[in-house]
């Protein structure tokens, strides 16, 4: 982090020095009832409007409401913002805002020496400290001497700032997160208008609460200007050169994916149907799509996962762009109906926002461990295309690509996002409508086959010679009556068939259809003719790219490639892999892509794995890549 110091600026009664930084990593941490996610989200929104590049990492407690003040109940939000292009939420915070002893203890291990710590001293009572294992106050025992400690009685200051409002002490205390947000907004010269407008809108039906939160926010700002404890404020200039021209907004992965699904339905001129059952971390897609009935979106919250996908498959049969959203445990329940969709050869998007497993596992933590389930988690030979976005903003494009494949090839498609992408956010350039792909679908209109006696009939399994897709016949279209169900079909007619030769042919044809999907070649970034390739997929893109930049900055030669299409693989993947002596595959699982690569291409790929519920750190990956380059 480079620093540039300017002449002191006068602010209130205290001279304030302003330092210019190129990037900052801030982590807000507190009890799950302290509003840390809202605080982080508002700071992020103002940072986006200011024009910085940014990347976020919300980290939720696994329990719905853990006991207050305990380590399992700590909620945090990390934001990395910069005046240049960045790719990750950052490895280690420069600033920690700790609202209680649990937040300090849970996060202190991630802080580098010299980092700033802002603590709410009002919460450091003997009982609260003992609850998390502090025998003595860390604010007084010298254990924090290596950091720049700012003890601030946030609760007391907030209550004092709101004494003119008709609020109980408990109600006033709830605004302490807005006081902290105001203080940090002053420290980093963030805009304030957007937050005040947001608070007025959020509490429009409770104007007194809105006014109190705004007063607490302003009090935090004023405290930064007038207190002697904060003698320095910081500026991080907009990332003017990081973005191509266009209109930008801050967006999370789940929101981008939702917009991508709506755009796909409009480009296909089909109604969008979502059949879903709420599950972390996919529920936000259901919440968002339910707001957009004006775009022809229908959302159905089913009684369980099986009903959700059953309704979606029925909507696909009826001519809709059909989607079901879930996470790993839900995929397991949906597997039989996915197999039915393979047999029926109907377009269906299965959106899996992956989380830690097995079983219910870690609902609020991220993982990439559903790849093999997406590939093989069905009975029989039931091949399904798999597409994975690489960043939160890329979820928009990945949704369009998954829809393209599903509609063109009449097949269910897996879209594998994860909790890190779903909840993380970054700037997104809003595309022009003419940049979106044409996904127009042509439904079957009449007979497509002539029998030996000259009769014209409709064969539901007569295929397009190029895509091997069968016709999509909307129920109720005169003359297109046909059987449908899970029993094996006779080629062409779709009649029930137990003939061994026909089954062999249909199995191979369904596989050939997936193998023949048109996907673009893989592009390898290799400016120096490296001998080592790092291959990734999904959300590892940011950490891998950041690690590659570090290795190259230190003189190392390494190539990078990232997969969006995991089934089928890009046609040139084998040729790319054989160019390199060593191939390293970082994954948030125990090596699932590496298993597929070894099996398909007989490449001795080296796995670099992590399953701790958190994304990779760039420095951790950089170390692993240096070892690979050196042949260790």
């Amino acid at each position: 982090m480079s620093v540039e110091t300017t002449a002191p600026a006068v602010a209130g009664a205290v001279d304030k020095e302003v330092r210019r930084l190129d990037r900052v990593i801030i982590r807000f941490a507190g009890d799950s009832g302290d509003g840390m996610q809202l605080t982080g989200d508002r700071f992020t929104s103002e940072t986006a409007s200011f024009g910085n590049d940014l990347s976020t990492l919300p980290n939720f407690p696994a329990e719905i409401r853990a006991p207050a003040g305990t380590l399992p109940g700590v909620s945090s939000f990390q934001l990395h913002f910069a005046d240049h292009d960045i790719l990750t939420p950052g490895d280690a915070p420069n600033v920690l805002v700790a609202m209680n002893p649990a937040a300090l203890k849970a996060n202190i291990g991630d802080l580098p020496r010299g980092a700033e710590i802002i603590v709410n001293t009002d919460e450091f009572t003997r009982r609260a400290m003992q609850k998390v294992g502090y025998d003595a106050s860390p604010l007084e025992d010298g254990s924090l001497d290596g950091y720049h400690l700012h003890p601030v009685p946030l609760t007391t200051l907030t209550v004092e700032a709101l004494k003119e409002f008709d609020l109980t002490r408990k109600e006033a205390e709830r605004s302490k997160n807005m006081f902290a947000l105001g203080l940090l907004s002053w420290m980093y010269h963030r805009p304030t208008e957007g937050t005040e407008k947001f608070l007025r809108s959020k509490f429009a039906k409770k104007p007194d609460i809105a006014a109190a939160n705004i007063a607490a926010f302003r009090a935090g700002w004023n405290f930064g200007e007038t207190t002697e404890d904060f003698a320095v404020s910081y500026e991080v200039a907009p990332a003017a050169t990081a973005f191509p021209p266009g209109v930008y907004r801050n967006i999370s992965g789940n929101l981008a994916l939702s917009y991508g699904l709506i755009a796909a339905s409009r480009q296909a001129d089909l109604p969008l149907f979502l059949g879903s059952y709420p599950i972390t971390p996919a529920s936000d897609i259901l919440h968002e799509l339910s707001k957009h009935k004006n775009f022809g979106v229908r959302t159905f919250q089913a009684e369980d996962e099986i009903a959700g996908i059953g309704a979606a498959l029925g909507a696909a049969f009826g001519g809709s762009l059909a989607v079901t959203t879930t996470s790993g445990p839900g995929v397991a329940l949906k597997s039989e109906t996915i197999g039915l969709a393979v047999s029926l050869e109907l377009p269906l998007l299965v959106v899996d926002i992956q989380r830690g497993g097995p079983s219910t596992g870690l609902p609020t933590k991220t993982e990439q461990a559903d790849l093999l389930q997406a590939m093989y988690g069905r009975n029989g030979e039931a091949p399904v295309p798999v597409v994975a976005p690489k960043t939160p903003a890329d979820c928009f494009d990945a949704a369009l690509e998954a829809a393209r494949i599903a509609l063109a090839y009449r097949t269910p498609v897996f879209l594998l996002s994860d909790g890190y992408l779903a909840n993380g956010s970054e700037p997104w350039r809003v595309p022009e409508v003419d940049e979106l792909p044409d996904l127009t679908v042509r439904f079957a209109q009449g007979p497509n086959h002539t029998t030996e006696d000259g009769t014209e009939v409709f064969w539901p399994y007569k295929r397009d010679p190029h895509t091997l897709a069968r016709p999509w016949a909307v129920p109720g279209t005169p003359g297109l009556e046909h059987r449908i169900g899970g029993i094996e079909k006779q080629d062409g007619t779709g009649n029930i068939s137990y003939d061994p030769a026909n089954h062999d042919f249909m199995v191979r044809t369904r596989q050939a259809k997936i193998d023949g999907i048109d996907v673009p070649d893989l592009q390898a970034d290799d400016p120096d003719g490296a001998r080592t390739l790092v291959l990734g997929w999904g959300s590892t893109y940011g950490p891998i790219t950041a690690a590659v930049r570090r290795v190259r900055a230190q003189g190392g030669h390494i190539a990078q490639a990232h997969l969006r299409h995991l089934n089928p693989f890009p046609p040139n993947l084998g040729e790319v892999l054989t160019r390199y002596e060593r191939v390293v595959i970082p994954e948030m699982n125990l090596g699932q892509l590496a298993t597929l690569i070894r099996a398909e291409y007989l490449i001795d790929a080296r796995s670099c794995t992590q399953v701790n519920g958190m994304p990779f750190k760039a420095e951790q990956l950089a170390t692993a890549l240096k070892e690979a380059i050196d042949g260790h």
Side-chain angles (χ1 to χ4, degrees), residues 122 155-156 159 167-174:
D122 289 326
T155 307
T156 300
V159 172
L167 300 173
T168 66
R169 180 179 176 87
K170 187 174 183 180
E171 289 172 333
E173 288 178 358
R174 289 175 181 161

Side-chain angles (χ1 to χ4, degrees), residues 106-163:
N107 293 282
I108 190 67
D110 291 338
L111 266 65
R113 291 290 173 172
E116 294 194 69
I117 304 176
I118 301 171
V119 296
N120 180 14
T121 55
D122 289 326
E123 296 296 323
F124 279 73
T125 63
R126 179 179 295 276
R127 183 163 180 251
M129 290 187 290
Q130 289 177 342
K131 191 181 289 188
V132 295
Y134 281 127
D135 296 325
S137 172
L139 310 184
E140 300 171 355
D141 64 5
S143 61
L144 300 179
D145 287 350
Y147 306 95
H148 295 295
L149 180 64
H150 301 280
V152 181
L154 286 171
T155 307
T156 300
L157 290 170
T158 303
V159 172
E160 178 66 19
L162 302 184
K163 64 182 180 181

Side-chain angles (χ1 to χ4, degrees), residues 27 78 91-94 106-112 115 147 614 617:
R27 183 181 297 176
Q78 184 163 307
D91 288 358
N94 308 118
N107 293 282
I108 190 67
D110 291 338
L111 266 65
Y147 306 95
M614 297 293 287
K617 293 183 177 180

Side-chain angles (χ1 to χ4, degrees), residues 12 37 43 49 68 149 185 192 241 252 257 273 277 286 289 300 332 363 404 414 427 500 545 558 581 588 593 631:
Q37 302 304 322
F43 196 94
S49 69
L149 180 64
S185 297
T192 60
T241 61
S252 69
L257 203 153
F273 180 90
Y277 179 77
L286 171 61
L289 290 180
F300 171 56
R404 176 190 73 85
F414 262 96
T545 307
I558 190 160
E581 296 177 10
M588 292 188 293
L593 176 61

Side-chain angles (χ1 to χ4, degrees), residues 47 62 96 145 187 399 545 553 572:
T47 296
L96 171 66
D145 287 350
M187 282 183 66
T545 307
N572 70 328

Side-chain angles (χ1 to χ4, degrees), residues 174 199-213:
R174 289 175 181 161
L199 290 171
R200 290 190 187 96
S201 174
K202 180 177 177 64
F203 299 107
K205 296 182 179 179
K206 299 179 179 179
D208 291 345
I209 299 297
N213 276 282

Side-chain angles (χ1 to χ4, degrees), residues 15-150:
D15 286 342
K16 298 287 186 176
E17 178 186 327
V18 179
R19 295 180 185 171
R20 290 194 174 90
L21 308 177
D22 62 349
R23 64 185 182 91
V24 174
I25 303 167
I26 298 175
R27 183 181 297 176
F28 298 93
D31 196 67
S32 57
D34 285 338
M36 293 296 93
Q37 302 304 322
L38 174 62
T39 305
D41 183 67
R42 289 313 314 159
F43 196 94
T44 299
S45 295
E46 298 296 0
T47 296
S49 69
F50 188 72
N52 296 119
D53 196 8
L54 62 89
S55 179
T56 68
L57 178 61
N59 191 9
F60 305 94
E63 299 183 38
I64 293 176
R65 191 65 175 93
T70 62
L71 293 174
V74 173
S75 175
S76 68
F77 188 105
Q78 184 163 307
L79 166 67
H80 182 190
F81 61 102
D83 65 2
H84 58 277
D85 174 33
I86 58 173
L87 298 149
T88 74
D91 288 358
N94 308 118
V95 181
L96 171 66
V97 179
M99 303 297 280
N100 60 19
L104 178 65
K105 186 158 192 176
N107 293 282
I108 190 67
D110 291 338
L111 266 65
R113 291 290 173 172
E116 294 194 69
I117 304 176
I118 301 171
V119 296
N120 180 14
T121 55
D122 289 326
E123 296 296 323
F124 279 73
T125 63
R126 179 179 295 276
R127 183 163 180 251
M129 290 187 290
Q130 289 177 342
K131 191 181 289 188
V132 295
Y134 281 127
D135 296 325
S137 172
L139 310 184
E140 300 171 355
D141 64 5
S143 61
L144 300 179
D145 287 350
Y147 306 95
H148 295 295
L149 180 64
H150 301 280

